[in-house]
Amino acid sequence: MKQSIQRLSALLLALALTLSLTLSVSAAETTSVLEATAEKAASAVMSYGQAAQVSWAVWQDGKIISSGSQRPEIDSTGAHLEGQGDIYGIGSVSKIFTTVAVMQLVEQGKLDLDKPVVQYLPAFKMADSRYKDITVRMLLNHSSGLMGSSFGSALLLGDASQQATEELLARLSTQRLKADPGAYSVYCNDGFTLAQLVVEAVSETGFMDYLRKHVFEPAGLKETWSPASSFELRRAPIYQAGVVEDPLPKECLGVVGAGGLYATAEDLAAFGGALTDDTLLKASSRKAMAAPEYANGLWPQEDFPDSLGYGLGWDHVEWYPFAQNGITALVKGGDTGYYHAGLVVLPERKMAAAVLSTGGASTYNEMAASQLLIAALREQNVEVAEIRFKLPAAKKAALPAELLDSAGYYGSQTMLKVELAEDGTLTMSYLDLPDLPARKFYYHDDGTFRDEGGSSALRMVKESNGQTYLYQWTFTSLSGLGNLPGSNYAAVKLPENSVDPSIQAKWEEQMSGTAFLPMNERYSSQSYLLLGTALKELAEAEEATENAPGYIGNLRIDSETHASYTAQIPGTAGRDGYDVDLRRDDKGALWMECSNGTLGMDLAAVPELSTGKDNAAACTIQPNGYARWYKVGDKAAGKTLSVQVPKDAGFWAYDAAGNVVGSSLLWKDAPVELPEDGLIVFAGNPGAKFQLTFQ
C-alpha cells in the first residue's frame, strides 16, 4: 500500500501552498530545537503533500518526549474546522506488526522463516508450480514473486468487512507468479496478507486477538485499533473534495495485516520504541528484521543511497542520512487512499519517531520523522550530517555506437519511450502521461546520461538475467524535510513481441477510450467514489496514448483476448502487475477480467433504467453477485428516486459529467434527482433486492 517512489518523484517539485495553521504541541511554550523542527517539518508535509492534518510523536527511553499536531485554522468558537481526531490509518506500517507476530512465532519454534508457506497453509495453491518454493521469509522481504495486490473489495468506506482477506487464497489459486521466488524484492501487499493467514493458522488465534495479547499489551499500546473498532469521534476526519462537504465514513481496509491498522502518533512511536529492546522480540529477531534482505536478489550495484532497501517488513534498513553517519535507522511508510504514515526507528539510540497525516504522502512523513530524530539527537550534542551527494565529475561525450541498441520502449508503473541520437542526446517520453513534456539527458564520458542541471542521471544496465534496465539517480532537497536520494531501476526494456497488426489494432480499439465499470466490488468500495474522476479523465483525454509494438500499455499481447504482465523490476517500479483477458458475453458486451480478481464491463453495454409500472420497480442482485449498472434515459431523467436498500448493500448515482449525486453510503436514504445521461449502480450480496420508487 506504499506509494510508488517513481510516481512520487514527479511530485517533489510541487508548488508549496500557503496555509493558515495552528500548532498544538505537548509543550507549546517551549522553543527547543525539537519543537521548532517539528513545527517546520509538519508545515512542510502539509505544504509539499497538501496534507490536511499532521500529527507527530518522538519516543526515547520508554517515554514520549514530544508530540503534537498541525491542523487547519480554527473558527470563531475555537473549534477546529476539520475536526481534531488524532487516530489515523497507518496503512502499510501495519506490515511491521505482522512481521513482529511472525518473528514471535519463530522464536517459539512454531515457524521457520525458510520453510515453504504451504507447510503452514496447505490450502495455499496457485496456477504456477513455483508457488511451492515460496518461503515465509519471502513474504516478509517482498521476494515471493507474487503479482502484488489482490485488492478487490479491500479498500472500503464505513464497512469493516474482511472479505478481501477471506477470498485471498481463492484468488491466488488462479494466478501465476511474475518471477521465480527469491529472484528479487519488489513491493508486494499480498505477501503480508498471506503472512497474516500464516499467523492465524499457526497460532490458532484470530489476527487482531493475537496482536492485542502479544503486541499491543506488552508494548503498552492503548490507541491502536482495527477498522472494526469503535473510535469514530477520535478519528482524524477524511474528505473527498468536490463530492461531499461532510467527512467521509471511516476508511476500512479489508487486509489488516498488509495495511489496515489505525493508531495515534504516540502509540506508533511507542511501538517503534518497543522494537529497540526485548519488549516484543529477542535481539536475534530484531537483528534478522534489520538485515539487508534486498541484497539477496537482483538490485542495482551503485554507491548512491536509495529510498528503499528492504529488510524483513522494513522498507529500508540503511535509511539516509543516519546510515551515512554510522547510525542504524529502520523505516516503514504506509499510504491508504486518505491516510499516510511514516515510522523511523533508531534501535541503538532507543529512539523512534512517527508522523501521521490525512493527505500527503508517506515519503514526506518519513522525511519529517527523520528531521525530528535529527533534532532530538542535536539536543543531546549528537550531530547527524545530511550529506549532499553529487554525481562524479564527467564531461559530455559522443555516444558509443553499441548504446544505440538501448533505445526503445521501457515498462514500469508508467510507460516510457527512450530515443537516442548519435550526438548523445537521450529523449524520454511518458507515453501514458502525454501532458508531461519529454525530458532530455546528455551522454557523459562516465557512461551516464545527465540532465542539463546535473540533478538527475540515467544509465542503461544489462543485468545478469539478460534484461536491460533504466537506472536512475536523483537527489532532491525539500525545505523542512531534508534530502531524498534516489538510486534505483526505474524501468526495464520491453522485449520485442511480434503480433499481427490487426490484433494490435483490435486491442487498441477495445482498450483506448473504453470505460470499464467495476462489476464485483463490494457496495462500500472506494472505487465507486473515485469512479467519477476516472470517467472525467477518460472523457477529457485528447488523444490515444502510444503503445509499444506488441504491447498494450505495459502488458505483452499474447493473443486476441489475452495480455500478460512481464516487467521484472526490483523496488517498487515493478509492483502490482496482473494479466488481462477480454471477452464478450452472449449480448456482445465487452468484459475485462484481471488476474488479480477484478472484473469490469464496458460502459457502452449498460442498459437503460426502467421506471417500472406505476413508477415502482425492483432491482435484484443475481446469483453471480455482480453489480447492476443502469443509464438514466429519457424516461427516468428528472424524476426523484427513493431506494429501499437491503442489508449489506448500497447504491451510487452519477451525473453525465461523472459527479457523485447520490449514495446510500454517503447520504443514507436521501432521495436522488436522476440527472439526464447519468448512471446508477446497485451492489450487494446475491439475492439483495432494492425497491425503487420514482416521483
Side-chain angles (χ1 to χ4, degrees):
M1 236 150 296
K2 182 94 163 56
Q3 284 186 343
S4 165
I5 297 296
Q6 281 70 29
R7 288 185 177 274
L8 178 63
S9 63
L11 302 176
L12 293 179
L13 299 181
L15 179 66
L17 303 179
T18 302
L19 300 175
S20 175
L21 304 171
T22 60
L23 175 65
S24 168
V25 296
S26 56
E29 66 278 4
T30 68
T31 56
S32 69
V33 172
L34 176 55
E35 301 304 346
T37 299
E39 180 179 355
K40 185 176 181 181
S43 295
V45 168
M46 298 183 80
S47 177
Y48 290 114
Q50 301 181 38
Q53 178 175 318
V54 181
S55 293
W56 70 85
V58 181
W59 178 98
Q60 183 173 16
D61 292 327
K63 63 181 180 180
I64 298 296
I65 62 173
S66 174
S67 66
S69 297
Q70 280 194 7
R71 307 184 181 94
E73 63 185 14
I74 58 177
D75 64 19
S76 58
T77 68
H80 290 284
L81 294 178
E82 299 287 326
Q84 50 184 330
D86 286 320
I87 298 177
Y88 299 74
I90 65 171
S92 284
V93 183
S94 305
K95 291 179 172 66
I96 302 299
F97 288 81
T98 304
T99 304
V100 168
V102 169
M103 298 305 291
Q104 287 178 340
L105 294 171
V106 170
E107 290 181 356
Q108 297 168 27
K110 297 179 179 179
L111 265 180
D112 186 322
L113 287 179
D114 296 309
K115 289 289 178 64
V117 173
V118 293
Q119 180 168 320
Y120 307 105
L121 282 178
F124 170 45
K125 300 182 186 302
M126 297 185 71
D128 186 325
S129 61
R130 294 176 293 175
Y131 81 93
K132 298 175 184 178
D133 298 327
I134 299 174
T135 65
V136 177
R137 180 186 301 275
M138 294 172 189
L139 302 182
L140 303 184
N141 68 16
H142 299 281
S143 70
S144 64
L146 294 169
M147 282 290 187
S149 300
S150 300
F151 268 9
S153 296
L155 309 179
L156 309 176
L157 291 169
D159 176 14
S161 167
Q162 294 298 297
Q163 176 182 336
T165 296
E166 295 162 0
E167 294 180 348
L168 179 64
L169 293 182
R171 290 182 175 178
L172 291 179
S173 69
T174 61
Q175 292 185 25
R176 64 176 178 88
L177 296 176
K178 65 182 176 186
D180 290 337
Y184 60 92
S185 293
V186 56
Y187 205 82
C188 178
N189 284 305
D190 282 353
F192 283 82
T193 307
L194 266 181
Q196 173 185 335
L197 296 177
V198 168
V199 169
E200 292 181 329
V202 172
S203 68
E204 299 181 335
T205 306
F207 188 63
M208 285 307 302
D209 290 336
Y210 182 94
L211 290 184
R212 289 188 192 98
K213 182 176 181 179
H214 299 285
V215 180
F216 299 174
E217 290 180 10
L221 308 183
K222 305 295 186 183
E223 295 284 7
T224 303
W225 309 96
S226 77
S229 306
S230 299
F231 52 86
E232 192 64 21
L233 295 179
R234 292 173 292 124
R235 176 177 63 88
I238 54 177
Y239 294 82
Q240 188 67 34
V243 177
V244 57
E245 294 183 1
D246 295 329
L248 294 175
K250 181 194 301 181
E251 185 180 36
C252 300
L253 272 62
V255 283
V256 173
L261 293 176
Y262 273 81
T264 59
E266 291 85 353
D267 251 28
L268 190 56
F271 170 67
L275 295 176
T276 67
D277 57 28
D278 295 341
T279 299
L280 295 175
L281 294 172
K282 297 176 182 178
S284 57
S285 296
R286 302 196 306 274
K287 182 179 179 180
M289 287 177 62
E293 291 281 329
Y294 70 90
N296 294 336
L298 179 70
W299 201 266
Q301 300 299 308
E302 298 285 345
D303 294 331
F304 294 112
D306 187 36
S307 53
L308 287 175
Y310 300 116
L312 295 178
W314 297 110
D315 285 340
H316 211 316
V317 295
E318 299 159 352
W319 182 242
Y320 172 93
F322 300 98
Q324 288 68 34
N325 287 269
I327 299 174
T328 299
L330 311 173
V331 68
K332 184 72 190 84
D335 299 276
T336 73
Y338 299 92
Y339 293 110
H340 308 275
L343 172 66
V344 180
V345 178
L346 309 183
E348 299 156 353
R349 299 281 174 172
K350 295 193 180 303
M351 298 177 70
V355 176
L356 306 177
S357 66
T358 58
S362 63
T363 301
Y364 297 134
N365 295 21
E366 293 164 351
M367 296 172 73
S370 297
Q371 292 301 306
L372 299 182
L373 291 170
I374 291 171
L377 288 170
R378 186 176 301 128
E379 290 188 343
Q380 301 166 33
N381 297 317
V382 178
E383 289 295 328
V384 178
E386 293 200 62
I387 301 168
R388 294 188 61 83
F389 287 91
K390 294 183 179 180
L391 290 166
K395 297 180 180 179
K396 287 184 178 180
L399 184 70
E402 61 269 20
L403 279 182
L404 288 171
D405 291 337
S406 298
Y409 295 91
Y410 285 74
S412 65
Q413 294 291 300
T414 187
M415 285 295 298
L416 304 172
K417 183 178 183 180
V418 174
E419 299 171 283
L420 292 171
E422 293 182 358
D423 66 357
T425 301
L426 181 154
T427 303
M428 184 168 66
S429 306
Y430 301 86
L431 299 188
D432 46 1
L433 299 170
D435 292 338
L436 283 181
R439 298 185 64 191
K440 291 190 179 296
F441 298 80
Y442 304 93
Y443 186 74
H444 285 64
D445 56 13
D446 66 343
T448 62
F449 294 86
R450 306 185 181 192
D451 64 3
E452 202 63 75
S455 61
S456 60
L458 305 173
R459 189 198 305 271
M460 277 69 173
V461 179
K462 187 71 172 289
E463 266 289 359
S464 56
N465 61 4
Q467 300 199 49
T468 299
Y469 289 86
L470 187 66
Y471 165 81
Q472 69 172 359
W473 176 93
T474 59
F475 192 81
T476 305
S477 295
L478 299 174
S479 177
L481 297 179
N483 302 316
L484 180 66
S487 173
N488 51 65
Y489 286 147
V492 63
K493 188 177 181 184
L494 299 176
E496 291 187 7
N497 181 42
S498 297
V499 299
D500 188 299
S502 64
I503 294 178
Q504 173 104 32
K506 186 174 181 180
W507 269 96
E508 293 180 349
E509 177 187 357
Q510 293 180 126
M511 298 294 285
S512 178
T514 300
F516 287 98
L517 301 173
M519 297 300 293
N520 60 346
E521 282 291 305
R522 193 167 169 83
Y523 72 93
S524 52
S525 172
Q526 294 178 28
S527 63
Y528 296 115
L529 180 61
L530 302 176
L531 178 67
T533 300
L535 291 174
K536 285 187 218 177
E537 291 176 352
L538 187 65
E540 293 170 359
E542 296 182 358
E543 55 183 305
T545 57
E546 180 181 352
N547 289 289
Y551 290 82
I552 187 75
N554 61 4
L555 301 177
R556 183 188 65 209
I557 298 173
D558 298 319
S559 69
E560 288 189 5
T561 59
H562 184 78
S564 56
Y565 182 85
T566 62
Q568 296 194 2
I569 315 171
T572 60
R575 64 177 288 179
D576 295 340
Y578 51 83
D579 299 339
V580 167
D581 286 284
L582 297 180
R583 62 178 173 84
R584 291 191 182 274
D585 61 22
D586 54 7
K587 297 181 180 179
L590 180 65
W591 291 69
M592 179 175 70
E593 185 169 5
C594 302
S595 61
N596 63 2
T598 60
L599 183 68
M601 184 184 73
D602 184 2
L603 169 61
V606 172
E608 188 172 304
L609 179 65
S610 171
T611 57
K613 184 178 181 180
D614 298 326
N615 285 323
C619 174
T620 303
I621 303 300
Q622 299 303 297
N624 57 25
Y626 295 164
R628 303 197 66 180
W629 288 87
Y630 297 94
K631 294 176 182 176
V632 179
D634 294 339
K635 294 180 180 179
K639 292 189 176 183
T640 298
L641 170 66
S642 296
V643 183
Q644 184 178 333
V645 180
K647 183 180 179 182
D648 291 330
F651 75 89
W652 297 77
Y654 311 83
D655 64 18
N659 300 304
V660 178
V661 295
S663 167
S664 55
L665 193 77
L666 300 181
W667 297 293
K668 300 189 182 302
D669 57 357
V672 182
E673 184 175 339
L674 296 173
E676 185 177 0
D677 297 326
L679 282 171
I680 189 166
V681 58
F682 302 93
N685 297 325
K689 187 174 183 179
F690 298 80
Q691 297 291 345
L692 315 181
T693 303
F694 301 85
Q695 292 181 338

